[in-house]
C-alpha cells in the first residue's frame, strides 16, 4: 500500500484524464486532500485501491468533436465570404446594366418629346391646310370656275403643301 501525494494536474497525467475529471474523481471517492506550501491542492492516492479506468469518450452518432466543429465553422465562413464576393460582383454588373438602360431611356424620352413636337407641328399645319381647302371650296363660282381671290389662295395652298412635303423629307 503505497500512498502518493499528487496535485490534480499530476493525477490527471497519471490517469490520462483532464484536471477537472481528476478533481471530480477525488471528490467522488472522498480522497483525503490538503494544501501544499505553494497553495496547490494535494490528493492522497493509493493506486492499488483506486482501480480507475476512464470511460471511453463517446459522442452521439453524427456529432463531430469541437476541433471538427471549428474547422466546419471556418469552412462555412469562407463559403459565406465567397458568396458575398460573388453577390457583390453580380450587383456591380446589375448596377452597370441599370445605368446603361437609364441613359438609353433618357435618350428615348428626348427623341419621344422631339417626335411629339414634330407631330403637334404637323397637326397644326394639317389643320391650317384643311382650313385653306375649306375656304377654297366655298369660294367657287356657280359654273365651277374659281374666282380670282380663290385662285390666289389655291396657289398659296399648293405652295404650302410643297413646303410641308419638303420639310417632311428633311
Amino acid at each position: 500500500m503505497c500512498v502518493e501525494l499528487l496535485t490534480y494536474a499530476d493525477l490527471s497525467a497519471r490517469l490520462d484524464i483532464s484536471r477537472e475529471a481528476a478533481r471530480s474523481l477525488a471528490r467522488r471517492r472522498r480522497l483525503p486532500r490538503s494544501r501544499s506550501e505553494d497553495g496547490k491542492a494535494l490528493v492522497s492516492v493509493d493506486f492499488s485501491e483506486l482501480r480507475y479506468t476512464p470511460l471511453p469518450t463517446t459522442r452521439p452518432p453524427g456529432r463531430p468533436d469541437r476541433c471538427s466543429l471549428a474547422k466546419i465553422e471556418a469552412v462555412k465562413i469562407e463559403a459565406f465570404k465567397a458568396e458575398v464576393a460573388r453577390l457583390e460582383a453580380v450587383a456591380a454588373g446589375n448596377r452597370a446594366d441599370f445605368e446603361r438602360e437609364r441613359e438609353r431611356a433618357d435618350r428615348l424620352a428626348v427623341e419621344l418629346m422631339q417626335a411629339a413636337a414634330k407631330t403637334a407641328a404637323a397637326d397644326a399645319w394639317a389643320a391650317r391646310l384643311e382650313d385653306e381647302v375649306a375656304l377654297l371650296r366655298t369660294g367657287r363660282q356657280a359654273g365651277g370656275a374659281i374666282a380670282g381671290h380663290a385662285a390666289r389662295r389655291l396657289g398659296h395652298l399648293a405652295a404650302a403643301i410643297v413646303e410641308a412635303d419638303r420639310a417632311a423629307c428633311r
Side-chain angles (χ1 to χ4, degrees):
M1 183 163 128
C2 178
V3 176
E4 296 182 39
L5 284 174
L6 301 171
T7 62
Y8 291 129
D10 295 335
L11 181 61
S12 67
R14 289 276 295 269
L15 296 176
D16 196 28
I17 56 175
S18 68
R19 272 187 66 178
E20 290 80 21
R23 187 167 182 255
S24 177
L25 177 69
R27 258 198 229 144
R28 276 195 322 265
R29 299 281 177 100
R30 295 191 175 132
L31 298 175
R33 291 179 284 176
S34 62
R35 294 259 178 207
S36 68
E37 290 176 3
D38 59 354
K40 291 184 179 179
L42 296 174
V43 181
S44 301
V45 181
D46 184 5
F47 284 103
S48 63
E49 291 181 10
L50 187 59
R51 293 188 185 144
Y52 174 77
T53 56
L55 292 174
T57 57
T58 58
R59 289 184 203 91
R63 184 171 177 195
D65 61 349
R66 287 183 183 167
C67 184
S68 297
L69 286 175
K71 289 178 184 175
I72 290 170
E73 292 299 321
V75 168
K76 284 183 182 179
I77 289 171
E78 290 302 318
F80 285 140
K81 285 180 180 177
E83 183 68 12
V84 166
R86 186 188 68 81
L87 291 175
E88 285 175 347
V90 168
N94 288 343
R95 184 68 181 173
D97 290 344
F98 170 76
E99 292 295 331
R100 187 172 43 253
E101 289 299 318
R102 190 176 75 178
E103 289 172 4
R104 183 172 164 249
D106 290 344
R107 282 193 310 269
L108 289 175
V110 168
E111 289 178 15
L112 181 63
M113 287 192 302
Q114 289 173 348
K118 286 181 182 179
T119 302
D123 287 344
W125 191 260
R128 185 174 156 237
L129 291 177
E130 285 176 4
D131 290 343
E132 291 285 330
V133 169
L135 283 175
L136 287 175
R137 283 191 182 146
T138 58
R140 288 187 176 199
Q141 291 180 353
I146 300 174
H149 179 57
R152 269 191 322 233
R153 290 187 66 96
L154 183 59
H156 289 301
L157 178 63
I161 292 172
V162 169
E163 185 181 334
D165 188 42
R166 286 183 184 156
C169 291
R170 289 182 197 156

